[in-house]
Amino acid sequence: MSATEAIPSAGRPLSAGAIALMLMLCLTWGFNQIAVKLVLPDVPPMLQAMIRSMGALPVLFLIGTFRGVKFFENDDTWKPGLIAGLMFGIEFVLIFQGLRLTSASRAVVFLYTAPFFVALGSYQMLGERLGGTQWLGLAVSFAGVALAIGVPQANVDAHVLLGDLMIVGGASLWAATTLVAKGTRLRFAAPEKALGYQVATSIPILGTAAWISGESITHTPSPLSFALLAFQAIWVVGTTFTLWFALVKAYSASKLSAFTFITPLFGVVGSYFIMHDTLSLAFGAAAVLVIAGLFLVNRPSQSAAAPADALLNVTKT
């Protein structure tokens, strides 16, 4: 046995390569909301989400098959898989419609309230304990959301606030799918299979939402839109999840989850430079509070299950 193999994953220090990969993943997840906004002029929200799921499903199948995942084995995971998939589909109806109304910078901050919903749900439903630092983090994050939504801002009207609330609703459903994956037999399924249930179930849900909304693609999307759709389907949904899972297998999930707070920071900064979002003082303070709260919830001193499991589904976004 080598020296590296002798070190349990929970105690293994993060290598420079693991840190670099984790930073790249956080950058990817932070940019994803920007990618959705950039494609919206060419592809409306529900169709865009459906196309992304349709593109991601074969990628997950190919990666899983390569890793020896038995997708069609009867392991009693189909019921919780369908429940998680139903919530996943509705989640993205809310997120993509919310992105039509609010800015990418606001969306990424509100979306990453999901780990706090996971922490609360784990405490209420699964009996997991939270330390004082984690409760403080939840309070700080809640204060940030309240500040962003409750304080009047020149660039925020009723439509933007509705979009914000839809993103928060999507974040709560993201957390709910995580709790289903954690509290049912779905936790025994391979990650590609668990996510495959959700992606596959979302396709008819998003397609129906697109039909009800009367969405259609009225012109040929630009090369940039095609590239960003491929980026979302192949890289974000289909690949980064597997990379994250490989990191969790090799290193401590709690140490890796401490990087979570960087994701909304990347999203806000990217939205400012790429989308030219207006960042008011009130929203800037709110973003700092949400990110600080996320950092506190993800402190390694806690029982790491809640934030780690929150990240296990992070590539859905």
Side-chain angles (χ1 to χ4, degrees):
M1 180 180 295
S2 68
T4 301
E5 293 172 335
I7 302 175
S9 63
R12 180 179 301 171
L14 297 180
S15 67
I19 292 173
L21 181 56
M22 195 64 216
L23 288 173
M24 183 269 292
L25 293 178
C26 290
L27 179 62
T28 294
W29 300 329
F31 176 76
N32 191 47
Q33 316 312 314
I34 301 171
V36 173
K37 291 285 287 187
L38 289 172
V39 178
L40 281 177
D42 287 337
V43 184
M46 296 299 93
L47 283 176
Q48 185 180 159
M50 183 187 71
I51 291 169
R52 186 177 78 159
S53 289
M54 291 175 65
L57 193 60
V59 177
L60 287 169
F61 183 76
L62 288 173
I63 293 175
T65 300
F66 178 77
R67 295 184 59 244
V69 175
K70 298 179 180 178
F71 284 97
F72 303 104
E73 181 182 36
N74 185 9
D75 54 5
D76 293 326
T77 60
W78 69 270
K79 288 183 179 179
L82 288 180
I83 293 171
L86 177 63
M87 291 188 292
F88 181 94
I90 299 172
E91 168 195 340
F92 279 98
V93 170
L94 291 174
I95 290 174
F96 275 69
Q97 289 287 11
L99 278 165
R100 187 172 56 85
L101 300 172
T102 192
S103 66
S105 57
R106 295 177 70 86
V108 73
V109 170
F110 290 126
L111 184 59
Y112 276 84
T113 58
F116 306 105
F117 288 116
V118 172
L120 285 173
S122 296
Y123 175 77
Q124 292 289 336
M125 299 167 57
L126 304 179
E128 294 181 357
R129 298 180 60 185
L130 299 177
T133 300
Q134 287 69 55
W135 282 114
L136 175 62
L138 291 172
V140 170
S141 173
F142 179 80
V145 173
L147 177 63
I149 293 179
V151 174
Q153 300 169 59
N155 61 325
V156 176
D157 58 16
H159 288 89
V160 173
L161 288 176
L162 176 59
D164 294 341
L165 292 174
M166 294 177 79
I167 298 295
V168 173
S172 67
L173 285 172
W174 174 11
T177 61
T178 300
L179 293 172
V180 168
K182 181 179 180 181
T184 67
R185 288 192 59 83
L186 199 58
R187 68 185 183 274
F188 299 117
E192 295 89 351
K193 185 172 183 176
L195 187 58
Y197 280 124
Q198 299 171 56
V199 172
T201 306
S202 73
I203 294 173
I205 294 173
L206 294 167
T208 301
W211 176 70
I212 293 174
S213 301
E215 290 185 356
S216 63
I217 300 175
T218 59
H219 57 275
T220 302
S222 67
L224 177 62
S225 292
F226 277 120
L228 290 175
L229 281 172
F231 163 79
Q232 293 180 60
I234 298 172
W235 175 247
V236 178
V237 182
T239 305
T240 61
F241 181 81
T242 303
L243 293 175
W244 161 252
F245 182 72
L247 286 172
V248 170
K249 294 285 284 186
Y251 300 97
S252 164
S254 61
K255 292 177 181 177
L256 293 168
S257 66
F259 285 86
T260 317
F261 76 98
I262 303 175
T263 302
L265 179 61
F266 280 147
V268 170
V269 173
S271 298
Y272 177 78
F273 286 105
I274 298 173
M275 303 297 298
H276 306 295
D277 285 356
T278 300
L279 302 180
S280 66
L281 181 61
F283 178 71
V288 169
L289 287 174
V290 171
I291 293 169
L294 182 56
F295 174 75
L296 290 173
V297 170
N298 277 317
R299 287 291 297 274
S301 58
Q302 78 173 86
S303 174
D309 284 345
L311 265 180
L312 288 179
N313 281 336
V314 76
T315 56
K316 299 187 311 180
T317 62

